[in-house]
């Protein structure tokens, strides 16, 4: 633990509705308005943007970004596949799969927050928390694999 920094408040799962720029496809804009996005994960790793925007030329047919991750990364939805993805930098050609869809992204963020904190009780407790989290995420994923 880094000393001298104030402790972060305990995370809680919450949803925010974000606006969309005019170039965001209607179906994705509707999902973002209706389902919203988690307000963040734990700490400051994933803050949402105030407005989702389309980044053409990345992914199959463009990506709609709704949040940042780390110093330069972005989180968004691939327009063609509707998958939630991450790119490490705005100019990167690398697109990393995060979740099958926005609904599963919500479930994974909620499950992660529900198991927090998972670092204070020693190494064995961290591994147990990781196993429980993996089980919860897999159960949620299996419930959504029917399509």
């Amino acid at each position: 633990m880094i000393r001298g920094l104030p402790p972060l408040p305990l995370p809680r799962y919450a949803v925010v509705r974000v606006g969309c720029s005019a170039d965001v496809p209607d179906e994705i804009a509707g999902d973002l308005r209706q389902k919203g996005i988690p307000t963040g994960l734990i700490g400051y790793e994933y803050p949402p943007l105030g407005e989702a925007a389309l980044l053409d030329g990345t992914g199959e047919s463009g990506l709609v970004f709704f949040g940042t991750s780390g110093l330069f990364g972005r989180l968004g939805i691939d327009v063609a596949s509707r998958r939630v993805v991450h790119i490490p930098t705005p100019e990167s050609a690398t697109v990393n799969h995060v979740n099958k869809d926005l609904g599963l992204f919500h479930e994974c963020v909620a499950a992660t927050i529900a198991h927090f904190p998972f670092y204070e009780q020693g190494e064995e407790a961290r591994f147990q928390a990781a196993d429980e989290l993996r089980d919860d995420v897999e159960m949620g994923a299996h419930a959504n694999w029917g399509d």
Side-chain angles (χ1 to χ4, degrees):
M1 174 178 239
I2 300 173
R3 298 190 191 274
L5 294 176
L8 292 172
L10 287 177
R12 65 181 181 81
Y13 175 75
V15 175
V16 65
R17 307 295 193 262
V18 294
C20 294
S21 63
D23 55 354
V24 171
D26 291 339
E27 289 180 13
I28 294 176
D31 279 352
L32 291 171
R33 279 192 293 273
Q34 183 181 35
K35 295 177 184 176
I37 56 172
T39 57
L41 190 54
I42 296 169
Y44 303 108
E45 294 89 4
Y46 153 63
L49 298 174
E51 181 176 85
L54 179 69
L55 180 63
D56 265 334
T58 305
E60 295 177 40
S61 60
L63 300 173
V64 174
F65 286 98
F66 59 79
T68 60
S69 176
L71 291 176
F72 305 109
R74 295 183 183 185
L75 289 172
I77 299 171
D78 184 281
V79 172
S81 68
R82 307 290 290 272
R83 290 183 175 148
V84 175
V85 298
H86 166 264
I87 64 169
T89 62
E91 62 278 348
S92 176
T94 301
V95 177
N96 304 305
H97 175 79
V98 174
N99 285 113
K100 183 181 87 168
D101 59 35
L102 188 57
L104 191 55
F105 181 66
H106 277 273
E107 290 179 28
C108 290
V109 169
T112 302
I113 290 171
H115 284 84
F116 186 82
F118 27 73
Y119 55 79
E120 292 181 349
Q121 299 152 345
E123 190 170 330
E124 188 172 319
R126 281 196 309 259
F127 287 125
Q128 180 181 352
D131 289 340
E132 290 171 6
L133 179 57
R134 185 179 307 108
D135 290 344
D136 286 355
V137 169
E138 285 178 358
M139 292 299 284
H142 288 247
N144 288 298
W145 284 353
D147 52 13

